[in-house]
């Protein structure tokens, strides 16, 4: 591909206006055209929805599109695809894989889910036991995955499975793209404390995955998965919010609209939480600025930890502030929602859903280990299983 | 909003850090503060005059560097990280900002600013260090018809190092800022909790003074307190970062039970949480400095947010440092106590976290009861 100069903000504005000029019959037509114009994610390469531009310039495109009222790709419905699958495919995928998967992933035509955790492999993800055995040009996969958000809507999954039980656990894992319509895939809803089933258990029985859908080398799946997990944590914790956005927004609204709930003690705590929300927002903004400047710092590791703590404290405060109304709950009916929703519904839902923020995508305890070891350079936890073949580990 | 550091700011940090490493290693500070010479005048001369940090906020046409609060914040971080006993906050931040709010075209103001910027004069703003932005104009000092000042101002920072006091006083013509030669006042240092920022009571008995022309002296004073509070967050960040770094370093080498102490998970998790607080404090302090450096429209909110948050982080970092160092953290010999004392005094300085939260409630439309 020919070298092009980096686009300027003015270039991007003009490209966006050109895109908007031509009428499109449906929102999907518009999203496809936007992808093809390189305005989907401008930091991706040309031909894959981007222009090879600095990530920070996406804001220029987004502002133009928002001002024009253009349809978007409903990111909350396809968060796993956008935040986790896409960056991993971009980094480790073959040209064919990028060509096949990225466009429908971004437009939302194909929803993605993540088949990582297992009943016996949570924080110790590398201990996973789902097996993938080579059979001709295919791999045959058997096992069970759990906590799989959006599996019931998903067309594709990113999957890690054990391909070699005779080597230590981190070395025998391979990373695949799994077709969720394969007859060997069974998705069962897993009801959670909110009453609904945002996530699922996924049973894999003789699922056939062509070797062409392997991501990265055989046995290199742990390294590939690290890229996914880092992106997941930034995706969860690094959401761009306006001041007083996110979990603090409904609390501030209630405070303003219902003076009868106010007490002096609640006031000071409310402002303490407002400050924490603003500081957490600034911290995430600073990480985005570092990434945009091409100098990511270790600060990204803390985003999800801060986000979980804030959401849990604020949502707990909200239920308490509501007093008698905090005793009501919207609806315990089992439903299978289309999107992952941290902020929706009522205070009780927000309080309960936020409990997951310190578990999903790496528990806060694991994140503290990571910060202590990789950022602060403190000694690793003792690892008795590190140099033992996976098949010989005590169970 | 730019929350990063520019290359110029990185260079300034490196220059200040070099000077501090040469003149002011933390281990040498405890002996100095008891030696009857609490300020390090040699260090202050190098910083103020040779490096020019005293004039950062002063426009070039008045003899300064024409920089902004962003650069001053970087200096504050480094001075906090060294608990350096120099009158930077009192002179180069509080007094200088108050003067910049006066009529800088008038010789009385311009001359003083020029001398401060050159490092040939040091000033202090004669208000209690516990004053918060938004408070009423102080009533402690009266100006008589001849322009002589009488009154007592308690707990003034850096007055003992100052040649000139900038004194808010109320006289027949209303509120004003006055310049008083320190020699014409009784500056009485008292035993301060913070050993590295000594405080004094200032007594004025018909002291000769010069009214500094100002359109709105109360606004000039309030702007100085707001700027001081916002930049103090960067000093608190420097204190917190030093305590974290030093504690991580110590726990990485201390052995007990045949293991490096820093390998115990309970301690690793405490340090990880502290690291996250310091990272968040950096974002908050940078936001306040950036807001003060810009058009100032958002400075009221960001300064209150930074003060309400970073004050607690500095205290927590110092307290964790003392605890995690074990017995050595309780000794006079180890410099940690200087950071604890600075952090605790800074929590009160220029408004407590609770006061800043209350002020924030009014600014963002979250009213109190009633």
């Amino acid at each position: 591909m020919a070298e092009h100069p980096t686009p300027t903000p003015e270039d991007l504005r003009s490209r966006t206006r050109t895109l908007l000029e031509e009428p499109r019959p449906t929102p999907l037509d518009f999203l496809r055209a936007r992808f093809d114009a390189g305005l989907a994610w401008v930091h991706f390469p040309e031909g894959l929805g981007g222009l090879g531009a600095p990530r920070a310039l996406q804001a220029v495109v987004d502002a133009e599109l928002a001002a024009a009222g253009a349809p978007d790709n409903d990111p909350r419905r396809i968060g796993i695809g956008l935040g986790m699958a896409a960056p991993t495919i971009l980094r480790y995928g073959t040209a064919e894989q990028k060509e096949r998967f990225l466009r429908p992933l971004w437009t939302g035509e194909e929803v993605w889910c993540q088949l990582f955790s297992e009943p016996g492999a949570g924080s110790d993800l590398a201990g996973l036991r789902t097996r993938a055995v080579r059979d001709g040009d295919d791999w045959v996969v058997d096992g069970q995955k759990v906590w799989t958000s959006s599996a019931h809507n998903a067309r594709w999954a990113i999957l890690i499975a054990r391909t070699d039980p005779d080597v230590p656990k981190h070395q025998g894992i391979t990373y695949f793209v799994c077709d969720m319509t394969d007859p060997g895939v069974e998705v069962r809803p897993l009801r959670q404390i909110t009453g609904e089933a945002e996530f699922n258990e996924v049973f894999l029985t003789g699922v056939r995955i062509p070797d062409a859908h392997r991501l990265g080398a055989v046995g290199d799946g742990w390294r590939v998965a690290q890229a996914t997990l880092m992106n997941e944590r930034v995706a969860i914790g690094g959401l761009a919010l306006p001041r007083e956005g996110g979990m603090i927004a409904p609390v501030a609204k209630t405070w303003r609209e219902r003076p009868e709930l106010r007490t002096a003690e609640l006031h000071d705590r409310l402002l303490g939480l407002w400050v924490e929300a603003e500081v957490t927002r600034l911290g995430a903004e600073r990480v985005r600025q570092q990434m945009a400047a091409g100098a990511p710092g270790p600060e990204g590791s803390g985003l999800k930890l801060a986000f979980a703590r804030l959401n849990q404290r604020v949502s707990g405060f909200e239920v308490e502030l509501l007093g008698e109304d905090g005793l009501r709950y919207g609806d315990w009916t089992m439903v299978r929602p289309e999107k992952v929703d941290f902020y929706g519904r009522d205070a009780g839902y927000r309080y309960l859903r936020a409990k997951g923020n310190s578990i999903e995508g790496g528990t806060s305890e694991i994140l503290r280990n990571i910060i202590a070891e990789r950022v602060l350079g403190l000694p690793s936890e003792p690892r008795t299983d590190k140099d033992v073949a996976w098949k010989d580990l005590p169970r | 909003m730019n929350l990063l550091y520019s290359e110029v700011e990185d260079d300034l940090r490196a220059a200040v850090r070099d000077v501090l490493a040469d003149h002011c290693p933390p281990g040498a500070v405890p002996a100095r503060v008891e030696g009857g010479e609490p300020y390090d005048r040699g260090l202050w001369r190098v910083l103020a005059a040779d490096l020019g940090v005293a004039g950062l906020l002063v426009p070039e046409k008045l003899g300064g560097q024409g920089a902004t609060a962003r650069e001053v914040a970087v200096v504050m971080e480094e001075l906090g990280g060294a608990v350096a006993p120099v009158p930077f906050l009192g002179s180069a931040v509080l007094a200088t900002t108050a003067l910049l709010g006066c009529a800088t075209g008038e010789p009385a103001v311009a001359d003083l600013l020029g001398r401060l910027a050159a490092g040939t004069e040091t000033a202090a703003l004669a208000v209690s260090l516990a004053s918060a932005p938004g408070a009423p104009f102080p009533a402690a000092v009266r100006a008589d018809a001849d322009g002589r000042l009488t009154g007592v101002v308690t707990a003034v920072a850096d007055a003992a190092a100052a040649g000139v006091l900038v004194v808010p006083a109320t006289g027949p013509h209303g509120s004003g800022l006055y310049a008083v030669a320190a020699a014409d006042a009784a500056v009485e240092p008292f035993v301060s909790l913070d050993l590295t920022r000594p405080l004094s009571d200032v007594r004025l008995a018909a002291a000769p003074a010069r009214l500094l022309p100002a359109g709105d002296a109360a606004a000039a004073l309030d702007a100085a307190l707001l700027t001081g509070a916002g930049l103090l967050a960067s000093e608190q960040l420097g204190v917190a970062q030093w305590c974290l770094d030093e504690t991580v370093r110590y726990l990485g080498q201390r052995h007990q039970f045949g293991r490096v102490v820093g390998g115990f998970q309970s301690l690793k998790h405490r340090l990880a949480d502290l690291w996250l607080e310091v990272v968040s404090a950096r974002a908050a302090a940078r936001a306040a400095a950036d807001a003060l450096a810009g058009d100032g429209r958002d400075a009221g909110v960001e300064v209150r947010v930074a003060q309400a948050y970073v004050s607690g982080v500095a205290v927590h970092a110092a307290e964790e440092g003392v605890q995690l160092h074990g017995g050595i953290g309780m000794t006079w010999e180890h410099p940690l106590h200087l950071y604890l004392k600075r952090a605790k005094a800074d929590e009160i300085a220029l408004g407590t976290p609770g006061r800043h939260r209350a002020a924030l409630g009014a600014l963002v439309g979250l009213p109190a009861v009633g």
Side-chain angles (χ1 to χ4, degrees), chain A residues 212-289:
Chain A
H213 284 183
R214 173 168 47 79
L215 219 52
V218 175
D220 205 24
W222 184 251
R223 192 162 65 97
V224 183
Q226 290 309 304
T228 307
L229 292 173
M230 284 306 289
N231 280 299
E232 176 172 26
R233 286 160 196 164
V234 173
I236 293 176
L239 297 169
L241 293 172
R243 178 182 285 168
E244 207 181 272
M247 207 63 104
I248 196 75
V251 187
K253 185 166 183 281
T254 298
W255 186 270
R256 292 185 183 113
E257 291 175 355
R258 300 191 54 188
E260 77 280 7
L261 298 175
R262 298 175 194 163
T263 70
E265 185 267 348
L266 287 171
H267 188 238
D268 191 52
R269 279 165 62 203
L270 168 70
L271 289 164
L273 292 170
W274 197 97
V275 165
E276 190 171 328
E278 174 67 0
V279 169
T280 305
R281 182 184 81 84
L282 292 168
E285 173 62 24
R286 187 157 194 273
V287 169
R288 277 193 298 280
Q289 290 184 5

Side-chain angles (χ1 to χ4, degrees), chain A residues 243 255 289 368 373 381, chain B residues 1 3 268 273 298 302 367:
Chain A
R243 178 182 285 168
W255 186 270
Q289 290 184 5
R368 288 188 185 98
E373 294 170 17
E381 291 302 299
Chain B
M1 187 192 324
L3 301 175
K268 284 163 69 176
D273 283 334
D298 209 26
E302 295 298 4

Side-chain angles (χ1 to χ4, degrees), chain A residues 304-305 308 357-359 362-369, chain B residues 269:
Chain A
K304 198 181 89 74
L305 196 54
N357 291 159
S358 54
I359 303 168
T363 66
S364 289
E365 289 69 30
I366 289 292
L367 294 180
R368 288 188 185 98
N369 279 357
Chain B
H269 284 194

